[in-house]
């Protein structure tokens, strides 16, 4: 077994574990290929099972022969292990370091994990593009499902099947793909049933410095416009960033070649800046100083809330174009795999009530993130504590979840799920026993044969007990468009993620449970009881009549 | 002039406006929109009126209210605008108490109900609840006629060993005669929280009676060999006071004291700080960075945290060390009131109930002479005396309710409502600066009590997550003092800016459900009785059933205030906006989104 070589000391006794808001535990530390386990062998204490993949960074400290390892996790938790014996401590630390940064995908835990629960519905089959298209077909005939990318040759980050305008043939798609960054030609992202307007997404056009054009690309997107109607192109970059992109072969749609489209530039930052922002935010949240000024200025300097506001604003703009202006929209940034997806998926949360259900939200993540080719593996390989130089890491999906949470806070009764679901997704994108967020695109996932070799997160989520845990007790279906406020005073710091380990959430949890209790007591117990009694009474009544 | 037509009301954070008619009554300013919805503003709530320079669309009039409402009217004709402006200026500056709304407000109550309202809160009974008088503390009658200290109440509690000459001597050595008296007694450890004003020590003066007084307080507690003296001012301020013959206790002169500064800034700093905060959050198209930088530079949250920190210090000294604490600032009616009352709230679960909270305010703020009239600018007075000290206290309480959602019987709606009426001058409770003046004004005979009104409506102010047994497991609250746990209180400072609020309210929903639960429980009881007692009652039972369905569907919840209809708008239809109208949400567009820029 390969792991055995990496584990020099598999077991140490007398290790003391300190973690936020739980009593200190003394017990035996065990290292396995995928887990760090601490058990006191007593019934009443909770064991620690930590996936190596969840470890972002470690620090070692020594006082005499007592070593201390501080483990910083990707879910932002920080725990401390006091290990007697310098050698043991060094061995453990080096094993953790190696095991938590294994490069080989095939060694990852999802390939070894066997579910301890009964899979009722295989999550790998729950959200197939074919099924999603059937829904579309029931609303409109203007679109078709193209398999032009069936062997991933046209666009390596697209799925085999994409929805495109009916009148555009595959040849046109191939030519348009050659004109778009990463081959990401414009495809359908969302169809607004209310007025038939659509949202599309793509990569940037490769106009370059000499203003290249592509008739097929123009034809493709014009095919989505109704006669005499104009559409909006939302470029998630500022004008100057888009201008600079020209020098590297990219660019934006010029007015001359796209006269039927109005271009709007917004300012969502590049991924490297977002990663820096996350690191600063987490550092601010972990600051132990009690100075209010320091906290506020660090929070400000992190720019996190600014990113949240910018993304939400852009999503509102896209939704507004579609719902209020009655216009179709094309969204892109540079690659079309990050800010583009934040905007298209949030716009759907705003516009489409279906996306606010548990199933619908999974479908949205599947459609707009996984199938759409957001490179999860690259973006989530390190989180906020990593000392290594960031390569492609960025909290793009976490920012999306944060924005959803902001909307959820403003419309607490319009979502079928609670923030637990969002936190769960955050955790599983960074470290998971499930294969769902592995790989960077549909093509990589299919090469890894994940659907055969790993379990889907959705298989686990879509079990009754889990659905119940993730449900929002206040949910009442709301078929309306929900416009969030993006005033700075309306945006909050997502405590459930960023302050989760800073304060015992026990009293907040208890209050939440109490609320759930009030609601369920009402819905289930009391209403049922009243109904039963009514029924009994009716029965008595008829018996009485019969006796009469 | 009583009304002006064709006035436009501009929305504060958007470019939208509604037009209607502006009416001016003796007590209210009322704006009636064409669809008959009315915005009512009590004159007493208006802090300032400003006439801006003429624009093409008319003459703008900006009104800032003490409950943080800001309204922006545009009047078509400049003459009309000037008329409103000058009438308001006249109405806004009452010079005598008799002009205040409380003396004309008539809520259709009979005399007996009114009197009962004033008897709801009995501070004598409150001290008894704490276990005072006892073998160490007694009620003294030295101030029966307000002779020793005219800003204190008549009934005061002092150590049994503090004789009359000691009291009199001590009071002469303290600013405004406010000598050390008991405000809270922690029965479990027999530790006392006492309050007073600064000593007139200057650079070297001492007073044996005052020293004996502190000695007596110390001796009344066997759990601790010393008494803490908390000076809630920054050290620099206290030292500066020495030059004026005032100052702070010299540890060398007082045996057995531990002296401590806790550094809460004075009323002027607080006034400026809140003003800055309101300027920051009042600006349109505010960026996140400017918002956070503004929060930092105005210092408001820092001051709020300082008050909470001081209360935590007090609480620890009393509950953990079992030591008695004497709290003072300069005059002992602003910071001292904040720290004593907040400390008591942390120590004693009773004050976290609705009734208990009223008692707390009555005791530490009203009876001990917080100068509500001056601080809230009830009469045309010195603007330098105005300061949001009480507002800040309410905010500290709110910060605690956010940290301990199960510990408080009341929700923030109670805090908002109290704040509303501290400034409305509609009830007698907060009028004037001290008890003596209140008695002269015969408020008990001529006005109504807010507490009675709030208690009658208390179901509106309940916190659905409140857990009465929480007090057993957490008798003393230990709040986190990490700065990240202090938040901007949007529902206070933007309470009338609806576009910023969540569109659906969890609080309201759960409260409604909880009420409906009670009704369902009753129905079940009824149905069970009916089922048992055979079928004769069937018809009656059916009535019960109908009643219940009605109650369940009744989700209206109003928090009525001086401007009942207003409140209804700001809270009750949070849910309504979504449930009822087909095209809601217009609210947010201006904010959310996006002026289209190409």
């Amino acid at each position: 077994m390969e792991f055995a070589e990496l584990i020099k000391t598999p077991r140490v006794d007398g290790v003391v574990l300190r973690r936020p808001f739980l009593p200190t535990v003394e017990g035996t530390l065990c290292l396995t290929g995928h887990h760090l386990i601490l058990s006191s062998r007593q019934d009443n204490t909770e064991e620690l099972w930590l996936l190596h993949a969840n470890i972002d960074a470690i620090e070692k400290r020594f006082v005499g022969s007592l070593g201390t390892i501080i483990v910083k996790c990707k879910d932002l938790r920080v725990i401390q292990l006091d290990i007697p014996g310098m050698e043991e401590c060094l061995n453990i630390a080096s094993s953790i370091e190696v095991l938590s940064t294994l490069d080989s995908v095939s060694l990852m835990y999802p390939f070894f994990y066997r579910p301890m629960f009964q899979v009722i519905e295989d999550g790998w089959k729950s959200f197939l593009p074919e099924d999603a298209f059937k829904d579309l077909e029931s609303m409109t005939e203007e679109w078709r499902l193209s398999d032009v990318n069936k062997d991933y040759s046209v666009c390596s980050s697209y799925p085999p099947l994409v929805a495109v305008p009916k009148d555009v043939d595959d040849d046109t798609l191939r030519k348009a793909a050659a004109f778009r960054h990463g081959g990401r030609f414009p495809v359908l992202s969302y169809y607004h049933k209310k007025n038939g307007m659509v949202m599309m997404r793509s990569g940037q056009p490769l106009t370059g410095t000499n203003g290249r054009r592509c008739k097929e690309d123009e034809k493709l997107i014009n095919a989505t416009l109704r006669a005499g109607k104009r559409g909006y192109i939302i470029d998630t970059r500022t004008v100057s960033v888009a201008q600079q992109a020209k020098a590297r072969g990219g660019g934006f749609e010029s007015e001359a070649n796209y006269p039927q489209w109005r271009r709007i530039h917004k300012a969502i930052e590049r991924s490297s800046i977002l990663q820096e922002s996350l690191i600063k935010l987490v550092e601010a949240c972990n600051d132990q100083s009690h100075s209010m000024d320091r906290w506020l200025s660090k929070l400000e300097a992190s720019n996190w809330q600014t990113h949240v506001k910018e993304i939400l604003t852009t999503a509102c703009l896209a939704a507004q174009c579609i719902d209020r202006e009655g216009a179709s929209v094309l969204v892109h940034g540079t690659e079309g795999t990050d800010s583009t997806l934040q905007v298209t998926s949030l716009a759907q949360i705003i516009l489409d009530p279906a996306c606010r259900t548990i199933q619908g939200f999974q479908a949205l993540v599947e459609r707009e993130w996984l199938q759409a080719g957001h490179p999860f593996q690259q973006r989530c390989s390190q989180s906020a504590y990593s000392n290594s130089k960031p390569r492609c890491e960025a909290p793009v999906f976490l920012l999306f979840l944060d924005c959803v949470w902001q909307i959820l806070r403003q419309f607490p009764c319009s979502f079928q799920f609670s923030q637990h679901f969002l936190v769960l997704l955050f955790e599983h994108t960074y470290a998971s026993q499930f294969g769902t967020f592995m790989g960077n695109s549909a093509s990589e996932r299919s090469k890894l044969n994940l659907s055969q070799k790993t379990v889907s997160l959705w298989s686990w989520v879509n079990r009754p007990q889990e659905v119940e845990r993730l449900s929002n007790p206040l949910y009442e279906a709301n078929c309306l468009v929900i416009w969030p406020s993006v005033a700075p005073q309306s945006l909050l710091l997502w405590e459930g993620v960023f302050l989760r380990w800073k304060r015992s959430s026990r009293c907040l949890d208890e209050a939440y449970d109490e609320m759930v209790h009030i609601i369920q007591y009402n819905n289930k117990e009391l209403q049922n009881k009243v109904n039963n009694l009514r029924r009994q009474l009716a029965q008595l009544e008829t018996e009485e009549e019969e006796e009469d | 002039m009583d009304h002006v037509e064709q006035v436009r009301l501009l929305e504060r954070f958007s470019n939208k406006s509604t037009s209607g008619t502006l009416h001016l009554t003796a007590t209210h300013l009322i704006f009636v929109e064409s669809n008959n919805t009315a915005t009512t503003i009590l004159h007493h709530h208006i802090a300032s009126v400003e006439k801006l320079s003429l624009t093409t669309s008319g003459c703008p009039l900006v009104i800032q209210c003490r409950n943080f409402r800001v309204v922006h009217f545009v009047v078509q004709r400049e003459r009309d605008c000037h008329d409103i402006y000058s009438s308001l200026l006249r109405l806004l500056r009452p010079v005598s108490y008799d002009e205040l709304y409380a003396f004309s407000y008539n809520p259709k109550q009979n005399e007996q109900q009114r009197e009962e309202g004033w008897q709801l809160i009995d501070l004598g009974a409150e001290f008894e609840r704490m276990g005072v008088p006892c073998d160490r503390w007694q009620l003294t009658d030295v101030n029966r006629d307000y002779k020793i200290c005219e800003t204190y109440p008549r009934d005061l509690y002092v150590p049994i060993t503090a004789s009359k000459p000691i009291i009199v001597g001590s009071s002469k050595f303290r600013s405004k005669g406010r000598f050390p008296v008991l405000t809270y007694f922690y029965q479990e450890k027999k530790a006392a929280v006492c309050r007073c004003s600064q000593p007139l020590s200057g650079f070297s003066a001492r007073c044996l009676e005052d020293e004996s007084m502190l000695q007596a307080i110390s001796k009344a507690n066997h759990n601790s060999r010393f008494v803490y003296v908390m000076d809630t001012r920054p050290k620099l301020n206290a030292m500066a006071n020495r030059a004026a013959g005032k100052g702070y206790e010299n540890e060398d002169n007082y045996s057995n004291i531990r002296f401590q500064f806790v550094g809460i800034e004075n009323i002027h700093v607080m006034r400026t700080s809140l003003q800055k905060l309101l300027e920051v959050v009042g600006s349109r198209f505010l960026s996140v960075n400017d918002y956070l930088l503004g929060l930092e530079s105005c210092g408001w949250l820092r001051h709020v945290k300082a008050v909470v920190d001081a209360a935590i210090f007090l609480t620890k000294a009393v509950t953990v060390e079992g030591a008695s604490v004497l709290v003072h600032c300069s005059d002992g009616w602003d910071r001292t009131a904040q720290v004593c009352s907040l400390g008591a709230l942390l120590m004693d679960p009773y004050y976290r109930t609705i009734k208990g909270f009223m008692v707390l305010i009555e005791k530490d703020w009203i009876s001990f002479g917080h100068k509500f009239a001056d601080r809230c600018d009830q009469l045309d007075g010195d603007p330098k005396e105005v300061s949001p000290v009480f507002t800040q206290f309410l905010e500290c309480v709110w910060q605690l309710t956010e940290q301990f959602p199960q510990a408080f019987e009341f929700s923030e709606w109670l805090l908002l409502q109290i704040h509303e009426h501290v400034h409305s001058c509609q009830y007698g409770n907060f009028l004037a600066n001290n008890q003596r003046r209140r008695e002269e004004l015969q408020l008990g005979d001529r006005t109504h009590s807010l507490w009675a009104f709030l208690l009658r409506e208390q179901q509106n102010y309940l916190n659905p997550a409140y857990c009465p047994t929480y007090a057993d497991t957490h008798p003393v609250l230990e709040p986190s003092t990490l700065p990240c746990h202090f938040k901007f209180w949007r529902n206070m400072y933007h309470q009338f800016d609806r576009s910023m609020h969540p569109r659906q309210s969890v609080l309201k929903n759960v409260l409604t459900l909880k009420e409906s639960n009670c009704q369902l429980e009753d129905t079940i009881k009824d149905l069970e009785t009916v089922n048992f007692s055979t079928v004769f009652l069937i018809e009656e039972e059916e009535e019960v059933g109908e009643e219940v369905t009605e109650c369940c569907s009744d989700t209206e919840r109003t928090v009525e205030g001086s401007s009942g209809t207003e409140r209804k708008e700001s809270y009750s239809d949070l849910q309504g906006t979504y449930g009822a109208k087909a095209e809601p949400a217009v609210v947010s567009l201006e904010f959310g989104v996006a002026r289209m820029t190409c």
Side-chain angles (χ1 to χ4, degrees), chain A residues 345-390:
Chain A
S345 54
L346 280 170
Q348 292 178 55
I349 296 269
I350 294 167
L351 293 170
D352 185 1
C355 295
R356 300 172 218 143
T357 64
I358 293 178
Q359 278 276 333
F361 192 69
Q362 292 169 43
L364 182 76
V365 170
E366 185 73 35
R367 206 169 61 232
E368 288 298 307
W369 291 89
L370 290 160
Q371 297 288 331
H374 175 66
F376 276 102
Q377 194 154 318
Q378 289 178 358
R379 296 285 180 258
C380 301
S381 69
Q382 298 288 335
S383 136
Y385 297 120
S386 169
N387 303 319
S388 58
K389 221 174 145 205

Side-chain angles (χ1 to χ4, degrees), chain A residues 190 192 194 323 350-354 356 413-414 475-482, chain B residues 504 578-579 581-584:
Chain A
Y190 170 67
H192 197 44
K194 189 169 126 192
D323 188 68
I350 294 167
L351 293 170
D352 185 1
R356 300 172 218 143
C413 308
S414 299
Y475 176 59
E476 269 178 68
N478 170 5
C479 60
L480 301 166
V481 176
I482 53 177
Chain B
Q504 298 166 323
Y578 258 81
K581 292 172 211 159
E583 195 72 356

Side-chain angles (χ1 to χ4, degrees), chain A residues 306 324 410 483 521-522 537, chain B residues 289 517 521 531 588-589:
Chain A
T306 303
R324 292 292 165 89
Q410 297 187 23
W483 301 107
Y521 184 50
N522 182 278
L537 199 68
Chain B
N289 293 48
N517 281 357
E521 274 167 354
N531 276 6
S588 63
L589 259 188

Side-chain angles (χ1 to χ4, degrees), chain B residues 164-231:
Chain B
K164 206 162 177 176
I166 289 179
I167 294 174
V168 175
S170 169
S171 81
K172 286 190 175 133
F173 189 63
R174 295 273 169 183
S175 264
K176 312 279 195 302
R178 294 171 69 92
F179 61 97
V181 294
L182 182 78
T183 179
Y184 180 70
F185 189 64
Y186 188 67
Q187 231 171 334
E188 202 184 309
K189 301 243 163 113
K190 306 273 181 237
V193 178
C194 298
R195 56 185 289 171
C196 61
S197 61
Q198 64 186 337
L200 304 175
S201 53
F203 289 100
S204 58
R206 51 191 290 192
C207 164
L208 290 175
E209 290 91 342
D210 194 60
E211 288 159 26
S212 314
M213 187 73 192
L214 264 69
Q215 182 82 338
I217 292 171
S218 180
K219 285 273 156 58
N221 178 357
H222 292 284
N223 278 319
S224 175
R225 283 181 295 105
F226 58 86
V227 51
Y228 278 105
V229 176
M230 262 176 94
D231 190 325

